[in-house]
Amino acid sequence: MDAQHDDTGNAARPVLEAPDIARVLTRIAHEIVERAKGADDVVLLGIPTRGVFLARRLADKLEEITGRKTPVGSLDITMYRDDLRLRPARALARTDIPGEGIEGSLVVLVDDVLFSGRTIRAALDALGDIGRPRAVQLAVLVDRGHRELPIRADYVGKNLPTSLRETVKVQLAEEDGRDAVLLGVIKQAAPADAQ
């Protein structure tokens, strides 16, 4: 596999390509059906941006397996983040809860990368303001470790142990024009006297 560059200019190598991503989403869909005993009351909520696209893909896979449409929506967590003051302002994404709601349902939160766990904590807070599901599970494409909070994914596409100097960038065709997971290394700034 050739080295590529992520959107920050860092050299990155693909660890998952389009066929791999399709395969792991199929596996996750089968795991959801098995654990949910048919997935009758499952609602998928993607965390913007790429989590929404992954949730829609999982809904399609679940329909192929069960023959039934799975409600899918999105859950914006921007205002629930604990780092709002530390990051540049960003536009609010859309929260879109399926018409059936989430009361008494098994909600599967879907995100692209699980890292510190802070995004999922914010999603749980946002979900609490919307309704009361029967249970909440988490599906992620990549779990890269380095948890800061006691959060674990129920469904993982790929466990990818990383160092804190490495970056994981998920690219999806809907947003980026291609499907890939890229692993890169953060460039260190050169010391002033070395220039």
Side-chain angles (χ1 to χ4, degrees):
M1 290 187 216
D2 297 332
Q4 300 170 16
H5 290 21
D6 64 17
D7 56 1
T8 60
N10 294 326
R13 67 177 173 85
V15 292
L16 291 177
E17 295 282 3
D20 306 313
I21 292 172
R23 192 170 35 256
V24 299
L25 289 176
T26 298
R27 177 177 46 80
I28 289 172
H30 280 280
E31 290 174 5
I32 290 171
V33 170
E34 184 177 333
R35 287 186 62 184
K37 297 180 178 29
D40 291 339
D41 65 344
V42 169
V43 175
L44 300 173
L45 292 180
I47 299 171
T49 299
R50 288 165 185 82
V52 175
F53 301 129
L54 292 169
R56 289 178 187 151
R57 291 184 189 188
L58 273 174
D60 291 342
K61 301 273 187 192
L62 287 170
E63 185 175 359
E64 289 173 17
I65 296 166
T66 66
R68 293 181 311 277
K69 285 202 175 293
T70 299
V72 62
S74 61
L75 182 66
D76 178 41
I77 53 110
T78 304
M79 299 309 293
Y80 293 87
R81 295 192 64 93
D82 62 1
D83 59 357
L84 277 176
R85 292 178 314 233
L86 306 175
R87 304 179 99 182
R90 66 185 251 193
L92 295 177
R94 181 181 164 125
T95 292
D96 180 24
I97 302 302
E100 303 85 358
I102 62 168
E103 296 294 324
S105 297
L106 169 58
V107 171
V108 179
L109 296 173
V110 182
D111 204 6
D112 55 353
V113 178
L114 179 57
F115 184 34
S116 67
R118 294 186 177 281
T119 296
I120 303 308
R121 187 214 39 87
L124 292 170
D125 289 347
L127 196 59
D129 283 351
I130 292 168
R132 186 175 175 145
R134 174 177 62 79
V136 179
Q137 295 178 347
L138 174 61
V140 296
L141 184 61
V142 176
D143 183 345
R144 66 171 289 188
H146 304 287
R147 215 74 73 240
E148 295 173 6
L149 299 171
I151 290 176
R152 180 183 61 82
D154 299 279
Y155 311 102
V156 177
K158 181 168 182 69
N159 284 296
L160 188 61
T162 62
S163 78
L164 289 173
R165 291 190 54 238
E166 292 176 304
T167 62
V168 174
K169 173 69 176 165
V170 173
Q171 295 179 330
L172 295 176
E174 298 91 334
E175 180 80 5
D176 309 295
R178 67 172 274 201
D179 284 354
V181 175
L182 304 175
L183 179 64
V185 178
I186 299 170
K187 290 182 183 175
Q188 296 291 329
D193 60 339
Q195 295 179 354

